[in-house]
């Protein structure tokens, strides 16, 4: 089972990027999915999360600029990032709480990270 993130890159301030994350493998069910980020010298922080049921949650710093969405049929979660700022520069990680086929309990899985660089 793995999460594969893509879509990072270099963009100027004010620009947009769309990150995508796809889960693959013997997945029985997926619960909450989300994105975290880690800037150089800083701790990893939550960006946005979608529970399996219920409303989305965003970090205050990205509200109104970022939109998280999921496609349960494709096992994907995307992050649309608009009006990007230099302080959004970080490695972005997708995460998913998943129940693997044959497993006894849910586990938290992480993608490999994708770098987003916003130039001023």
């Amino acid at each position: 089972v793995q999460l594969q993130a893509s879509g990072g890159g270099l963009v100027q301030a004010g620009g947009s990027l769309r990150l995508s994350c796809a889960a693959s493998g013997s997945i029985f069910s997926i619960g909450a999915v989300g994105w975290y980020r880690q800037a150089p010298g800083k701790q990893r922080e939550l960006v946005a999360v979608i529970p399996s049921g219920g409303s989305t949650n965003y970090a205050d710093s990205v509200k109104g600029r970022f939109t998280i969405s999921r496609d349960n049929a494709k096992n994907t979660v995307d992050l649309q990032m608009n009006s990007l700022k230099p302080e959004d520069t970080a490695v972005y990680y997708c995460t998913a709480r998943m129940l693997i086929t044959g497993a006894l309990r849910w586990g938290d899985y992480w993608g490999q990270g994708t770098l987003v660089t916003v130039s001023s």
Side-chain angles (χ1 to χ4, degrees):
V1 174
Q2 66 173 358
L3 293 174
Q4 183 69 41
S6 61
L10 173 65
V11 64
Q12 289 188 334
S16 298
L17 279 176
R18 187 175 184 88
L19 305 183
S20 294
C21 180
S24 61
S26 298
I27 301 167
F28 183 79
S29 184
I30 301 178
V33 294
W35 289 89
Y36 282 70
R37 67 185 180 186
Q38 187 167 19
K42 294 187 177 181
Q43 290 187 329
R44 191 173 296 189
E45 63 175 0
L46 173 70
V47 176
V49 62
I50 301 183
S52 56
S55 60
T56 57
N57 290 300
Y58 295 92
D60 288 342
S61 59
V62 306
K63 283 181 180 177
R65 300 187 298 121
F66 291 11
T67 302
I68 189 172
S69 60
R70 65 188 290 172
D71 186 329
N72 292 329
K74 297 181 179 178
N75 289 343
T76 59
V77 54
D78 291 349
L79 185 68
Q80 177 66 41
M81 305 185 294
N82 299 327
S83 302
L84 282 161
K85 304 175 181 179
E87 51 263 43
D88 294 318
T89 295
V91 176
Y92 284 71
Y93 299 90
C94 59
T95 182
R97 190 159 182 82
M98 298 189 287
L99 182 62
I100 306 309
T101 302
L104 297 178
R105 57 179 60 89
W106 293 76
D108 293 317
Y109 295 81
W110 293 83
Q112 82 284 10
T114 184
L115 177 62
V116 172
T117 303
V118 184
S119 62
S120 57

